[in-house]
Amino acid sequence: MTEMTLTRIAEALERMAPAPLAAPDLDAASAFVWHVEPDRLIPVPEVNRVALELLVGINRSRDTLLDNTRRFAAGFGANNALLWGARGMGKSSLVKAVHGAIHADLPGLKLVELQREDLPSVGRLLNHLRGSEHRFILFCDDLSFSHDDQHYKSLKAVLDGGIEGRPENVLFYATSNRRHLMPRDMIENERQSAINPSEAVEEKVSLSDRFGLWLGFHPCDQDEYLAMIDGYCAAHGISIDAATLRAEAIEWQATRGARSGRVAWQFFCDLAGRNGVALG
């Protein structure tokens, strides 16, 4: 193969390669979403979140995550956090609310959302954040892994950092319905079928052990559910007879077959609409 041919091939490959990510303007917003193909950080002008004081029934998790995040934003030691447990109980809402509360005082704290399917690109993302004067919470919502999913290996770059180490200015928060980030039946199947059962699942199960904070979220009781709705009504100025509100809220959750923060918010959205209140 001639030198001219090799040169033409190299030039063609260079044209096919994605352009490198231009240095992002990290002052453009308080939050960003990471996208790939091509790599880019998209600023989020207004984060979809609720106020921290409206998150009822998760006081211990709220206070723990708030303290951890505040220490990190101030430049002190802090832990990666896994928020796991019942659906609709405010895991992702808490991450966004905590960021909003602290960013008001420490605007150098940025939130970067990362999709689970983009975990293999996390090394490239960290390279863009490393060395910045800002501090970053990488946020992955609804994180879990299936039997043949190898994305969990990429996550170790965030939690352990490999040979370079995790950047000092980056922390990782994830939410999941699963404490060990994978289905229980998958764990049991691998234990039963492997020659060395403990080694078969150790690598995947130990992934959750790499989070310094485990914050559990459990289904709320009826009083907590009603307290959430009362808080939304007070915050948005909706006045309604207490007995009527209670009866309607209980009927709503009965039709859904569940109580959670999400169900409380859905009921409140319906209530606000019936009372002509906009939720802008």
Side-chain angles (χ1 to χ4, degrees), residues 29-31 49 98-111:
S30 65
R49 59 181 159 220
V98 163
H99 168 258
I102 294 177
H103 179 268
D105 297 323
L106 297 169
L109 180 66
K110 307 292 182 177
L111 183 67

Side-chain angles (χ1 to χ4, degrees), residues 111-127:
L111 183 67
V112 178
E113 185 172 21
L114 170 70
Q115 302 299 321
R116 189 200 67 86
E117 56 268 25
D118 293 332
L119 279 172
S121 69
V122 73
R124 302 197 300 272
L125 172 57
L126 293 180
N127 285 337

Side-chain angles (χ1 to χ4, degrees), residues 37-260:
E37 296 180 356
D39 291 352
R40 59 205 187 278
L41 278 167
I42 304 298
V44 179
E46 186 173 349
V47 177
N48 177 28
R49 59 181 159 220
V50 299
L52 193 61
E53 59 269 17
L54 293 181
L55 297 177
V56 176
I58 54 173
N59 295 5
R60 183 176 180 182
S61 294
R62 178 200 63 201
D63 294 345
T64 301
L65 193 68
L66 187 63
D67 289 344
N68 189 68
T69 309
R70 183 178 288 114
R71 289 195 298 268
F72 171 70
F76 303 122
N79 277 302
N80 299 310
L82 174 63
L83 291 71
W84 68 276
R87 299 189 305 274
M89 279 306 298
K91 298 185 293 295
S92 60
S93 295
L94 179 59
V95 172
K96 292 182 288 186
V98 163
H99 168 258
I102 294 177
H103 179 268
D105 297 323
L106 297 169
L109 180 66
K110 307 292 182 177
L111 183 67
V112 178
E113 185 172 21
L114 170 70
Q115 302 299 321
R116 189 200 67 86
E117 56 268 25
D118 293 332
L119 279 172
S121 69
V122 73
R124 302 197 300 272
L125 172 57
L126 293 180
N127 285 337
H128 292 297
L129 305 182
R130 190 187 305 270
S132 170
E133 63 180 8
H134 299 292
R135 303 183 74 75
F136 302 92
I137 297 173
L138 293 194
F139 172 46
C140 188
D141 194 21
D142 199 20
L143 181 63
S144 62
F145 302 101
S146 59
H147 177 76
D148 56 351
D149 195 338
Q150 298 299 307
H151 285 36
Y152 73 93
K153 294 182 178 179
S154 302
L155 182 55
K156 292 181 179 179
V158 185
L159 301 179
D160 292 338
I163 192 171
E164 288 185 290
R166 175 170 55 84
E168 180 274 336
N169 63 332
V170 175
L171 208 59
F172 187 74
Y173 288 174
T175 70
S176 178
N177 295 332
R178 302 164 179 167
R179 184 174 182 177
H180 290 297
L181 304 177
M182 65 194 64
R184 182 177 297 275
D185 61 347
M186 189 192 84
I187 297 174
E188 296 304 323
N189 288 340
E190 291 203 18
R191 282 200 177 110
Q192 293 169 11
S193 60
I195 295 175
N196 190 325
S198 61
E199 290 184 0
V201 296
E202 181 178 358
E203 183 178 28
K204 293 181 180 178
V205 173
S206 66
L207 183 62
S208 60
D209 291 338
R210 290 174 164 83
F211 290 89
L213 287 181
W214 282 7
L215 302 177
F217 290 70
H218 308 286
C220 61
D221 60 28
Q222 185 167 284
D223 288 341
E224 290 170 334
Y225 167 73
L226 294 172
M228 294 172 190
I229 296 170
D230 287 339
Y232 292 140
C233 288
H236 292 273
I238 293 180
S239 179
I240 185 173
D241 175 70
T244 301
L245 179 64
R246 177 184 176 89
E248 291 183 357
I250 291 175
E251 181 182 3
W252 181 277
Q253 64 91 17
T255 63
R256 299 299 303 271
R259 281 191 299 264
S260 70

